[in-house]
Amino acid sequence: MEPLPSFSAAHLPEIRFGPGRVTETAGVLARFGRRVLLVTGRRSFVASPYWTRLLADLRAHDIEWQQVSVEDEPSPEQIDQTVAQHQDAGLQVVVGVGGGSVLDAAKAIAGLLPGGASVLDYLEGVGRGVPYEGPALPWVAVPTTAGTGSEATKNAVLSRRGPQGFKKSFRHEQLVARVAILDPQLLATCPQALIAANGMDAFTQLLESYVSRAANPFTDALALSGLEAFRDGFWAAWAPAHPEAAAGRTRLTYAALLSGITLAQAGLGSVHGLASPLGAYFPIPHGVVCGTLVAEATAVNIRALRERAPGAVALARYARVAELLSGHPYPDGDSAREALVGLLRGWLERLELPRLGRYGMTLRDLDRVVANCRGGSMRTNPLVLQDDELRALLQARL
């Protein structure tokens, strides 16, 4: 019997999971203080009955609140402006209620409010290199979509779009949410396209963390559990009027949570490495990047592993994922891996995920994207991909 390898697990939030748990939000906030900053999206949640219920619950708990809205992926400038506007308000706790962008914004704001510094002091790769030492305000995550897993991570992803754009993280253990409240009922009003993109983000995070070079027994167990939940829940959550839609949304919410935990512990891979410059240079939603690239990225990884690292454990892991997703065994590993790529390509067609060219990317942009993709996520890909392999991957989805 081989000994289990040693590993470490980073800090996680208190997790409250299940239908109806959103009604616990005000009570959770009251544990941390009576002056709250609400960070929400611009439309969906505040137009829902849940918003009215939340405000009534806040009043019942004698909680004062201020609100800030986030639309699209948050920029450093938006974060700094919000911190400057609210720094003297005596806020005691932040709550983010929305998708991944809202949660990332809430996370960054909570980290900066006590000291008032610019997030550009701390932003990886493009900041001033100042070590973050805190303190951070406590913050509570209430995701209304299922995809990014931001409720379970320590990094707030901020973007500045354009030719000189970037997509970088403000990252520290103190930025982990104190409590994550996951209520799958909040997904009921998500548009089908949003379920597709966010679901494929969660799936990609589970797959990439499972085949990551930093994977360990702890993340393996969670990734496989998440992949199984995704398999059983995604299509029911995505399909309009599916009779098992509610159960599907519950499984998808669970899968997304586990994808956040596993990415925080084991890292990701080539899809997320490429997503950073793609999201910076073009107005491509992150989930769309994941969904449109994951099949080709898997094919490229498998081909490169067979050529340059045929004994790599990731090859066996890709075969295991194929059997988990299909529900039946294959005669050999090569057959399983071929079936996995075919299955993912079939998903891409069924979901009708757009190509990169729809967002303005052309052949002239390939070298620029490849030159700026080798950040943290790429370092845990199962192997180092060559520039020409990455260009071919992108070109296949132009």
Side-chain angles (χ1 to χ4, degrees), residues 104-130:
D104 283 351
K107 191 181 304 185
I109 292 164
L112 296 170
L113 271 172
S118 169
V119 73
L120 288 170
D121 285 350
Y122 312 115
L123 209 55
E124 293 177 350
V126 295
R128 301 183 182 97
V130 178

Side-chain angles (χ1 to χ4, degrees), residues 186-204:
L186 296 176
L187 271 63
T189 57
C190 282
Q192 189 178 24
L194 188 61
I195 292 287
N198 286 338
M200 290 307 293
D201 185 11
F203 170 80
T204 303

Side-chain angles (χ1 to χ4, degrees), residues 54-391:
L54 175 59
L55 297 187
D57 289 346
L58 292 175
R59 288 190 291 269
H61 283 83
D62 197 27
I63 291 175
E64 301 175 8
W65 56 272
Q66 300 179 36
Q67 183 197 3
V68 60
S69 298
V70 175
E71 188 169 22
D72 201 9
E73 297 180 2
S75 68
E77 292 75 19
Q78 182 181 16
I79 298 302
D80 284 354
Q81 181 182 23
T82 301
V83 170
Q85 289 175 344
H86 296 278
Q87 190 183 6
D88 297 327
L91 295 167
Q92 297 169 298
V93 57
V94 176
V95 56
V97 187
S101 294
V102 170
L103 301 189
D104 283 351
K107 191 181 304 185
I109 292 164
L112 296 170
L113 271 172
S118 169
V119 73
L120 288 170
D121 285 350
Y122 312 115
L123 209 55
E124 293 177 350
V126 295
R128 301 183 182 97
V130 178
Y132 179 77
E133 298 178 352
L137 285 185
W139 80 281
V140 175
V142 186
T144 61
T145 62
T148 70
S150 182
E151 65 272 12
T153 70
K154 65 180 180 180
N155 58 304
V157 181
L158 307 180
S159 302
R160 182 184 291 162
R161 284 200 173 120
Q164 304 302 318
F166 58 77
K167 188 171 185 175
K168 299 291 184 179
S169 287
F170 170 30
R171 189 189 314 262
H172 197 272
E173 292 287 345
Q174 292 191 44
L175 304 184
V176 175
R178 297 289 186 90
V179 184
I181 299 173
L182 297 108
D183 188 336
Q185 291 178 343
L186 296 176
L187 271 63
T189 57
C190 282
Q192 189 178 24
L194 188 61
I195 292 287
N198 286 338
M200 290 307 293
D201 185 11
F203 170 80
T204 303
Q205 289 171 173
L206 290 164
L207 177 63
E208 288 193 323
S209 60
Y210 182 57
V211 301
S212 162
R213 284 187 280 183
N216 61 61
F218 175 67
T219 58
D220 289 349
L222 296 178
L224 290 170
S225 180
L227 287 166
E228 183 177 351
F230 179 90
R231 177 199 66 195
D232 295 342
F234 173 69
W235 295 104
W238 172 78
H242 194 286
E244 297 294 328
R249 289 191 289 268
T250 299
R251 286 177 171 80
L252 182 57
T253 300
Y254 173 75
L257 167 66
L258 294 193
S259 80
I261 296 174
T262 58
L263 80 85
Q265 313 291 331
L268 293 167
S270 60
V271 172
H272 280 82
L274 291 165
S276 181
L278 286 170
Y281 302 147
F282 308 100
I284 309 177
H286 178 74
V288 171
V289 172
C290 293
T292 204
L293 292 185
V294 65
E296 295 309 315
T298 300
V300 168
N301 270 348
I302 290 171
R303 187 181 311 117
L305 286 165
R306 291 186 62 191
E307 293 173 356
R308 303 198 295 276
V313 67
L315 281 172
R317 289 173 176 245
Y318 279 124
R320 184 172 182 182
V321 171
E323 294 185 343
L324 183 151
L325 294 177
S326 68
H328 61 76
Y330 293 90
D332 53 64
D334 285 343
S335 299
R337 289 182 285 270
E338 182 179 351
L340 175 61
V341 172
L343 178 67
L344 297 182
R345 286 172 173 162
W347 289 2
L348 182 62
E349 293 180 6
R350 183 176 178 186
L351 295 171
E352 298 181 342
L353 289 165
R355 291 178 173 270
L356 301 173
R358 183 180 298 184
Y359 299 93
M361 185 174 175
T362 68
L363 287 171
R364 294 189 299 273
D365 299 304
L366 293 178
D367 287 345
R368 179 170 57 136
V369 172
V370 170
N372 290 280
C373 75
R374 298 191 183 277
S377 293
M378 198 67 81
R379 287 195 287 270
T380 47
N381 198 58
L383 80 170
V384 177
L385 293 177
Q386 299 167 357
D387 284 359
D388 62 338
E389 291 171 324
L390 292 168
R391 279 192 291 269

